Amino acid sequence: MNDKGTKYEKLARDFLQNKGLKIVTQNFFTRRGEIDIIALDGDWLCFVEVRYRAQNLDSAIESVNNKKAEKIKLATQEFLEQNQQFENYKLRFDLVALSRYKSTSKCSIQYFKNFF
């Protein structure tokens, strides 16, 4: 992952932690795909995709297509096979979309629970 990706995933992680989620792991890689963040939200195990676009929040949201969602679901299966302690949690697939406008240093963050 490049420095920019790491920076925005850290922003997303901090955002989720401020919302009360407990981070289980980040950047879970499998041959089937990658999950950016895995977190606990009460009795939910959340698989979070982080997307950043420089000037268009809508394109960050739209960039999570069916193919990407399927890869995340396949990686989720592998995570659950390797981490059976989470088998009794409900599963949720969330999205954190970030955008930074060039005219400001401020970052816009939107959080979508049950995105797909």
Side-chain angles (χ1 to χ4, degrees):
M1 172 173 303
N2 62 34
D3 289 338
K4 187 182 280 189
T6 301
K7 174 183 176 180
Y8 292 108
E9 283 189 10
K10 182 185 179 328
L11 282 172
R13 183 191 70 223
D14 293 347
F15 174 84
L16 293 171
Q17 288 176 318
N18 287 334
K19 293 275 186 197
L21 281 75
K22 181 181 176 201
I23 305 302
V24 173
T25 192
Q26 282 187 253
N27 301 316
F28 178 78
F29 291 98
T30 74
R31 58 182 170 78
R32 296 175 179 175
E34 177 203 359
I35 303 169
D36 294 327
I37 298 172
I38 302 172
L40 292 173
D41 185 12
D43 57 352
W44 290 95
L45 182 62
C46 307
F47 299 88
V48 183
E49 177 68 9
V50 178
R51 289 296 175 131
Y52 166 79
R53 293 295 182 265
Q55 292 187 353
N56 186 344
L57 196 55
D58 290 336
S59 69
I61 296 164
E62 293 167 358
S63 70
V64 183
N65 57 27
N66 290 337
K67 184 177 179 180
K68 180 63 177 174
E70 187 60 31
K71 283 185 173 188
I72 293 169
K73 288 178 181 179
L74 290 171
T76 296
Q77 290 174 349
E78 196 161 325
F79 175 83
L80 293 171
E81 289 167 7
Q82 294 176 20
N83 298 276
Q84 294 180 359
Q85 71 268 28
F86 296 109
E87 67 185 1
N88 293 322
Y89 283 85
K90 296 183 277 185
L91 304 182
R92 192 171 78 207
F93 298 92
D94 297 351
L95 171 69
V96 174
L98 301 104
S99 180
R100 182 178 304 275
Y101 295 92
K102 289 183 179 178
S103 61
T104 178
S105 62
K106 217 170 178 190
C107 190
S108 172
I109 301 175
Q110 285 189 310
Y111 179 41
F112 301 92
K113 294 180 180 180
N114 286 317
F115 187 73
F116 58 88

